Each structure stands twice: as C-alpha cells, then as structure tokens.
C-alpha cells in the first residue's frame, strides 16, 4: 500500500504551484474586490494544459489521470477558490458530459476549444424550485420539426455567462413517463442561441471571481441533434458526473485548508504579543496542529477516492468515497478558515489579508455539488439505511 502521490504528480504540482504564484497570487485580491473574471488568466491556464488534462489527445488533451486534475485544483485552491472552481466546473461540468455522453459530431464541434481553455461551458441542472431535488426540473423542451424549443429557467450556473462561454448544457423535461414521472433529457444550448439569456451575474458572499448567472430560456430553439446522449437520460447522466465532481470539490477544499495552514504558520511566527510570537502560545499552536490534521486527513480521503476513480472502481464504493471526501473536506475547510481568521485577529477581518477572502469562499463548499445534508443522506444510504 502506497500513500504517496507519484513523482510525476509531485512534479506537476510544482508546475501548477509556480503558475499560481506568478499569474494568480499577485492579482487575485484585486479581481476579488472588483468581481472581475480574468479571461486572459483562464486562457493561460488553458495554454498550460489544465482544462485538457484528462481529455484524450485527439481533442487536444493530455490524457492524464483524474488524480492529476485533483492536484491542479488543489494547487489553485491554495491561492484562490474562484479560480479553482472555474477549472473544476470547466472540466467536470463543461467538458466531461460532452466527452462522456456526446456524439462524435458534438465532440468535434465543441471539445477542441473547451479543452484548450479558449472557451468554457456550464451545466444547468439547478432551478429556482429544483436544487437538492434536482429531478423536480420544470424547464421544458418540446420537439418541433426537428428543433428543441426550450422554455424555463436555471439558477446559480457556473461558467455560464462569461465572455468565453460557448455553451450551456441544460436538463429539461422532454416528456412524461408512465405514472407521471418526468422524462428529463440534457440538451446543448450554444451561448448565442436567440431566447437564451445569461442574466446579470449574482452578487455572492464568496467566489467573487467565479462566473455565476441565472439563465432564462424563452422559446430558445436548438437543432434536434443538440440532445446530449440518450433522450430521457439527462438526470442519470448528470448524477454520473457528480461523483467525480465531489472528489474534485474535495481537492479544492484541501487546497483551502493548506492555504490557511501556510498563512497561519508564517503569521504565528511573525506576530508577537506579550513579547513572544503568538505561535509559542499553546492556544495558537494547537489550532495550527488541528489545521495540519485537517489537511492530512482531507488529502488522504480525497486522493484515495481519486485513486479509486483512476483504477476504474467507479461503483457504489466510489460514490461512497466521493461523498465522504466531499463532506469531510468541505466542513473542515469551513472550520479551517474560521480558525485562520481567528489566528490573524483583527487583521483576519480585513480584506487585504487572504484569510478574509478564504473565510467568505469556504461556505459554498458545503453547498455546491450536493449539500452536506445530501452527502450524509448518500453516505447513510450506502450503509444500507432507507433514508429519504
Ligand atoms: C455559487 C454557486 C454555484 C453553483 N453552480 C452550479 C452549477 O454550475 N450547475 C448547477 O446545476 N447548480 C449549481 N449550483 C447549485 C447548487 O448545486 C445548489 O445550490 C445545491 O445543490 C443546493 O440546492 P438549493 O440551493 O436549491 O438548496 P435546497 O435543495 O433548497 O436545500 C435547502 C436546504 O435544505 C436541505 N435539504 C434539502 N433536501 C434535503 C433532504 N432530503 N434531507 C436533508 N436536508 C435537505 C439542504 O441541505 C439545504 O440545507 C451552484 C450554487 C452556487 C451557490
């Protein structure tokens, strides 16, 4: 049994770390303050190969493993969560559904730009009345002479309205099954489709740099061949992509915990009270020890799940491991940012210190890609409990 990442993974980690130090860290506070989505930096991440990491070479990807993607997300997450989620959603929600379920024609049309980071795609599942209960979708798509006519709305959709968003894949009711259950399908909607509007970006508590919009569809028409995968499989397709997404979110959370630990370690050595560094006070030192435990435990859970995925063990055991990693790391990240802000004292409450941004950014980790309650529900079901 080997608990270490390979030398290649560690070397790759340093490539991403150097990139983040040079191209993200110096600017991120300003972007966050201005709610600025830095297209050039996102595209530079594309040039570095980050969006194409796990895509096959035929679409311009590197064909690397899922663990590599987690390493990249973790490293970006140490510096900024918004940039990390832009990559996570760009790959997990933008590229992967097309890669996994798309037709050859859809792959050839959309993937090269997405894989190169020249374009971004979103995935619209959540609606005002359908979040955790994602099957309660009310957006409708009706086939009219080989054209899907889409009406409805989506909310909180990442990467859906940026200057380089090329498409959004949305779930919609395309019919009814026996017993009145909805038939839900996934449909690719190009960004320039008349009747499709990415409304004004949200004012969010955190993730200020990440691009998040409500979407409306008013008689938005797309050709019949924009259906993604099989008709009626839209909800199942989305669920299938969620397990990977949860592990990737766990990597993002681990990056955040490590970022907190790093900043606090330095600060605990520099900041003096009562004539000594605060790190020499047990009350502070023990908090740093707790951060180190969270980072180590979070990494172990995350990379164990990533290794299962890379080994092709993607059954119920992986679903369970993904939920466990996501639940633990997201809750630990919220705790870690609270602890870090406390260690920084009054400075921790000031926006010029990264821990203030980290504190605001952490909360969403417990909500996106399945709330903590949903993870607990899934984990309990994995234990054989009939939880609703
Ligand atoms: C910044 C941001 C980005 C996002 N990006 C995307 C995206 O790209 N694509 C997308 O489709 N969605 C996206 N989402 C949506 C996100 O996945 C949902 O917000 C999340 O799944 C929760 O759904 P909800 O907000 O409707 O909350 P609700 O489902 O209304 O839940 C409200 C509360 O009830 C609890 N709850 C609900 N059901 C149960 C249950 N059965 N048992 C116990 N507790 C329960 C929840 O845990 C929560 O605490 C994003 C959200 C945000 C905030």
């Amino acid at each position: 049994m080997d608990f270490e990442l390979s030398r290649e993974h560690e070397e790759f980690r340093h490539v991403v770390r150097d990139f983040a130090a040079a191209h993200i860290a110096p600017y991120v506070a300003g972007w966050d303050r201005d709610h600025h989505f830095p297209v050039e930096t996102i595209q530079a991440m594309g040039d570095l190969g980050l969006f194409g990491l796990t895509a096959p070479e035929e679409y311009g990807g590197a064909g690397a493993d899922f663990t590599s993607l987690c390493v990249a997300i973790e490293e970006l997450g140490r510096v900024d969560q918004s940039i990390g989620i832009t990559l996570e959603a760009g790959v997990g929600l933008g590229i992967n559904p097309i890669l996994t379920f798309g037709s050859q024609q859809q792959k050839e049309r959309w993937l090269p730009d997405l894989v190169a980071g020249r374009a971004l795609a979103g995935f619209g599942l959540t609606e005002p009345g359908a979040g955790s209960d994602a099957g309660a979708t009310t957006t409708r798509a009706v086939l009219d002479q080989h054209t899907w006519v889409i009406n409805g709305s989506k909310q909180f959709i990442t990467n859906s309205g940026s200057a380089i968003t090329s498409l959004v894949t949305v779930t919609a009711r395309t019919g009814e099954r026996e017993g009145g259950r909805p038939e839900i399908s996934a449909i690719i909607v190009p960004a320039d489709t008349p009747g499709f509007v990415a409304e004004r970006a949200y004012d969010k508590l955190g993730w200020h740099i990440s691009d998040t919009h409500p979407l409306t569809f008013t008689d938005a028409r797309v050709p019949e061949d924009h259906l993604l995968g099989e008709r009626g499989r839209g909800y199942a397709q989305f669920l299938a992509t969620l397990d990977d997404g949860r592990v990737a979110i766990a990597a993002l959370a681990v990056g955040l915990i490590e970022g907190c630990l790093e900043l606090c370690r330095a600060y605990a050595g520099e900041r003096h009270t009562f004539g000594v560094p605060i790190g020499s006070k047990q009350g502070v030192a023990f908090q740093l020890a707790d951060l180190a435990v969270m980072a180590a435990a979070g990494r172990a859970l995350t990379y164990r799940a990533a290794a299962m995925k890379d080994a092709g063990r993607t059954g119920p055991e992986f679903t369970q491991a993904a939920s466990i990693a996501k639940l633990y790391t997201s809750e630990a990240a919220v705790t870690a940012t609270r602890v870090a802000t406390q260690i920084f004292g009054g400075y921790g409450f000031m926006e010029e210190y990264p821990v203030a941004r980290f504190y605001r950014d952490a909360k969403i980790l417990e909500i996106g890609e399945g709330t903590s309650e949903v993870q607990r529900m899934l984990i309990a079901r994995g234990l054989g409990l009939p939880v609703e």
Side-chain angles (χ1 to χ4, degrees), residues 101 171 174 177 183-186 227-240:
F101 305 109
T171 49
T174 47
R177 298 177 193 281
E183 174 195 90
I184 297 177
S185 305
L227 181 74
L228 183 70
E230 230 179 281
R231 182 170 174 164
R233 298 282 302 155
Y235 184 58
Q237 286 165 359
F238 188 78
L239 290 185

Side-chain angles (χ1 to χ4, degrees), residues 253 257 291 294-295 298 326-337 366:
I257 299 166
L291 292 181
M294 289 178 221
K326 202 265 181 184
L327 177 63
Y328 174 76
T329 56
S330 59
E331 296 197 343
V334 170
T335 304
T337 59
E366 295 181 326

Side-chain angles (χ1 to χ4, degrees), residues 64-324:
D65 59 13
F66 181 65
T67 297
S68 303
L69 178 63
C70 291
V71 168
I73 292 169
E74 178 192 343
E75 283 304 316
L76 296 176
R78 288 165 85 105
V79 176
D80 185 66
Q81 293 282 293
S82 295
I83 299 289
I85 191 62
T86 302
L87 176 64
E88 192 278 332
V91 176
L93 302 176
I95 292 172
N96 284 353
I98 297 178
L99 200 52
T100 313
F101 305 109
S103 65
Q104 194 56 33
Q105 190 203 12
Q106 287 167 344
K107 291 180 189 177
E108 283 169 11
R109 174 168 176 195
W110 300 109
L111 287 180
D113 281 348
L114 296 174
V115 162
R118 288 188 292 270
L120 286 171
F123 198 110
L125 178 77
T126 305
E127 298 187 359
S132 304
D133 183 11
T137 300
T138 58
T139 294
R140 283 186 183 278
V142 176
L143 207 47
D144 173 33
Q145 297 186 351
H146 302 295
T147 303
W148 291 106
V149 185
I150 307 170
N151 282 285
S153 61
K154 296 286 171 181
Q155 70 177 5
F156 308 147
I157 309 305
T158 304
N159 291 342
S160 63
S162 77
I164 54 170
T165 297
S166 61
L167 69 100
V168 176
T169 305
V170 294
T171 49
R173 282 175 179 242
T174 47
E176 241 177 46
R177 298 177 193 281
E178 272 178 37
R181 283 189 306 117
E183 174 195 90
I184 297 177
S185 305
I187 299 173
I188 295 174
V189 183
D192 58 1
T193 304
F196 162 43
V197 179
E199 308 283 355
R200 188 174 166 275
Y202 291 98
D203 256 339
K204 305 189 291 287
L205 170 68
W207 282 8
H208 286 173
I209 301 168
S210 163
D211 179 73
T212 329
H213 298 261
L215 311 178
T216 55
F217 302 87
T218 313
D219 290 333
R221 302 177 80 93
V222 299
E224 185 176 9
D225 66 5
H226 282 36
L227 181 74
L228 183 70
E230 230 179 281
R231 182 170 174 164
R233 298 282 302 155
Y235 184 58
Q237 286 165 359
F238 188 78
L239 290 185
T241 64
L242 272 185
D243 285 345
D244 297 2
R246 286 171 182 157
V247 183
I249 293 283
L252 188 62
V254 169
L256 186 54
I257 299 166
E258 288 171 338
C260 288
L261 176 58
E262 218 166 284
L263 291 168
C264 289
R265 202 154 91 175
Y267 192 71
E270 287 160 17
R271 177 71 175 171
H272 284 61
T273 63
F274 305 97
V276 292
I278 57 171
S280 64
K281 307 284 182 194
Q282 208 179 62
V284 173
F286 280 13
Q287 294 190 71
L288 277 151
D290 288 346
L291 292 181
V293 172
M294 289 178 221
R299 289 193 84 215
L301 289 173
T302 302
Y303 286 102
R304 172 177 170 265
M308 287 170 78
K309 159 88 184 163
D310 284 330
R313 290 165 58 200
T314 51
E317 202 192 344
F318 175 60
T319 300
Q320 186 81 340
S323 281
I324 288 174

Side-chain angles (χ1 to χ4, degrees), residues 1-7 300 303-304 307:
M1 188 182 281
D2 187 356
F3 285 102
E4 300 302 320
L5 291 179
S6 70
R7 194 162 56 89
Y303 286 102
R304 172 177 170 265

